[in-house]
Amino acid sequence: MIEQGNTVGVVGLGSLGLPLVELLVEAGVPVIAVDVDPAAVERARSRSIAAHNGMSVLSAANLVVEAVPEHRETKRAVLRTIAEVCPPDTVLVSTTASLSLMALAAESGRPSKLVGLRFMVPPAPGGTCEVTRTAMSEAGAASAVDALVSRLPLAVKDFGSAQMLAWQLLLGYLNRAVSLYESGYATREDIDTAMKLGCGLPAGPLTLLDHLGVDSVRDELAALHERTRRAAHAPAALLSDLVGRNRLGRKAGMGVYDYGAAGVVGSPRPDRTMNAVPRPVSRIGVVGSGTMGRGIAQVTALGGFDTVLSARTQEKAEAAIEAIDAAMVRAVRRGQIRPEARRQALARIHPSSGYADLGDRDVVMEAVTEVEDIKAEVFGALGRVCRPGAVLTTTTSSLSVADCAEAADRRADVVGMHFFHPAPVMGLVEVSRTEFTGDDVLATAHTLARSLGKTPVNCTDRAGFIVNYLLFPYLNDAVALVEAGAATIEELDQAVENGLGHPLGPFALMDAIGLDVCEAIQKRLHDVNDDPDIKSSAVLTALVASDRLGRKVGAGFYNHDLSPFHDVLGV
């Protein structure tokens, strides 16, 4: 058993071994860290880890973890060397994710002492791992690994049988994120922030890339591309450029980001809002009485802004405000807002039909359906009735912000502010500028988003922005894998949730978004960007045609109980 005072050895101080050593040290476990690469040893020592080149020091360890690259010959040689230098009762642990644990056990010379400890992403506080064993593993060896893991801030999960397919999905997603960054579309910080807040992921893709190791991801992508021949799997040029400059990620102290002893160092790239003075905002208008319009009006009213909610009819506007109040009542019951805050917010929202009451608004936020003609009609009306200097925003994520600006005949005053559903809950706003958007308008959008408790990220006017551009190819790839019979829906969701630490697997996430919404976004992104990775699948289209639209109707890829879902969304 690994108890206080017992020693753990770790061989391999790369993207997996080094963070594991750091977790062990933080937990107070004595560690012997070993790597045959002098550079890896020096990197570890620069982080105050006592690292060694020779394997003989492992003779003092009670348990030794091999965390070397995923090559059978390398792992077999390391395990046999550990068995030669360590006492007979030393427990051996392999971190293999794709090789046969049984074969490694047989070839290690100590088959009864070998146990598996799998990580799909590098270990970190709050992360997950999987403990595996063979039919030859002694109960005591497995218990020793269980005891060790119990001392670490990790959750033990069953990754299931589809973990390699989940890894394939992750590689494609990371590659697309690197390409997006390489194109200059958005900063590394905005890409990472958008995916963390927009999808609830434990880390943004570029941060995760650095933790996995830029060289490792580049090589894995190259091997995947050799198998699939898909352009989406051809490693982005930036990956090879980073590797060529020895920017291998966190293990090397530099990758996409630069790292010091305390984490990321350096300042984010300055943006256009830094020196611009935002326009004053006290009165807001919201056009649209649907789910998004109601959510935004609720957020602005709770944020202290006098808000006009405009719908096609007075009855629809009043019904929308009643729905907002019902949602706030539930929020009060859950302790999310105070009763007085609910009463004050309700007093700030005013129903309206048409556009006349929007004439004195400082900001008017369009939140109508994603149809070009309807948006053009709305912005044409706003251009006629809103006061000079009013900022006009659109919630679109798939249509052209510039087209909205042209319809309003106010090119400098229009900016995209894409809120995420449900708006009262989600913390991200994608701020999309056109080439004509004024710097003060961009600064106003950022300042307003922050005043509403949201985090804004910058992107330019292109369908999909950041989140949908990266998310929907990943979702489409997941459907394609299941459609091809490579895994079941449940297996793939299990691997993504338990192995990668995502809050929802791809199919559970599509059900939460709405399959009709997913199909519409994919069609739009495919049509606008001519992107083969976003073409809607036949399976998704068939489910939409069958009215299996996801959790909102009780059936999608899964069958759902509607009551808790509606309570969470406040509907």
Side-chain angles (χ1 to χ4, degrees), residues 341-354:
R342 171 230 161 192
R343 288 190 292 270
Q344 291 173 349
L346 190 61
R348 296 187 190 106
I349 310 178
H350 316 290
S352 176
S353 60

Side-chain angles (χ1 to χ4, degrees), residues 161-197:
S161 59
Q163 55 189 285
M164 296 313 298
L165 296 176
W167 177 247
Q168 179 176 319
L169 290 178
L170 179 66
L171 287 173
Y173 158 71
L174 293 177
N175 203 36
R176 194 171 178 90
V178 172
S179 296
L180 187 66
Y181 173 54
E182 184 179 23
S183 73
Y185 178 79
T187 68
R188 60 190 184 182
E189 292 84 4
D190 281 349
I191 291 172
D192 277 351
T193 299
M195 297 312 295
K196 283 186 66 177
L197 296 183

Side-chain angles (χ1 to χ4, degrees), residues 61-336:
N62 306 92
L63 179 151
V64 180
V65 181
E66 68 77 7
V68 297
E70 195 77 348
H71 304 301
R72 181 171 176 176
E73 292 302 320
T74 302
K75 286 187 180 290
R76 180 173 66 175
V78 167
L79 288 169
R80 290 196 69 86
T81 301
I82 294 170
E84 290 169 2
V85 303
C86 291
D89 59 348
T90 301
V91 176
L92 278 57
V93 179
S94 173
T95 60
T96 185
S98 61
L99 302 175
S100 166
L101 188 65
M102 183 277 296
L104 290 175
E107 295 165 352
S108 71
R110 301 238 188 120
S112 65
K113 295 294 184 180
L114 184 72
V115 179
L117 181 61
R118 289 177 176 169
F119 300 91
M120 286 187 65
V121 294
T128 62
C129 66
E130 181 183 48
V131 179
T132 60
R133 59 209 72 188
T134 72
M136 299 178 284
S137 302
E138 288 181 355
S143 296
V145 177
D146 290 338
L148 174 64
V149 172
S150 70
R151 297 187 58 185
L152 303 178
L154 299 171
V156 179
K157 298 283 188 177
D158 178 3
F159 295 169
S161 59
Q163 55 189 285
M164 296 313 298
L165 296 176
W167 177 247
Q168 179 176 319
L169 290 178
L170 179 66
L171 287 173
Y173 158 71
L174 293 177
N175 203 36
R176 194 171 178 90
V178 172
S179 296
L180 187 66
Y181 173 54
E182 184 179 23
S183 73
Y185 178 79
T187 68
R188 60 190 184 182
E189 292 84 4
D190 281 349
I191 291 172
D192 277 351
T193 299
M195 297 312 295
K196 283 186 66 177
L197 296 183
C199 298
L201 302 182
L206 301 177
T207 295
L208 181 56
L209 169 68
D210 273 357
H211 283 250
L212 288 167
V214 178
D215 53 338
S216 298
V217 170
R218 192 267 315 260
D219 293 347
E220 292 265 9
L221 275 165
L224 180 60
H225 181 245
E226 184 67 25
R227 296 196 303 272
T228 68
R229 310 311 301 176
R230 285 185 56 197
H233 296 149
L238 180 59
L239 292 172
S240 292
D241 177 66
L242 291 170
V243 171
R245 291 186 285 133
N246 204 37
R247 298 186 68 92
L248 306 182
R250 189 172 179 270
K251 63 186 178 185
M254 55 184 180
V256 176
Y257 295 92
D258 293 318
Y259 297 87
V264 176
V265 297
S267 301
R269 188 189 314 167
D271 61 54
R272 287 171 50 180
T273 69
M274 290 188 65
N275 298 319
V277 177
R279 299 178 186 180
V281 178
S282 61
R283 300 181 301 274
I284 290 177
V286 177
V287 181
S289 58
T291 303
M292 183 56 74
R294 295 196 307 268
I296 293 173
Q298 179 178 329
V299 169
T300 58
L302 284 170
F305 293 95
D306 184 84
T307 302
V308 169
L309 190 153
S310 175
R312 289 191 175 274
T313 66
Q314 189 71 17
E315 292 75 18
K316 286 187 175 182
E318 291 172 354
I321 293 176
E322 289 177 4
I324 291 170
D325 187 37
M328 291 194 293
V329 167
R330 285 189 287 272
V332 169
R333 290 174 184 162
R334 293 192 292 265
Q336 295 169 333

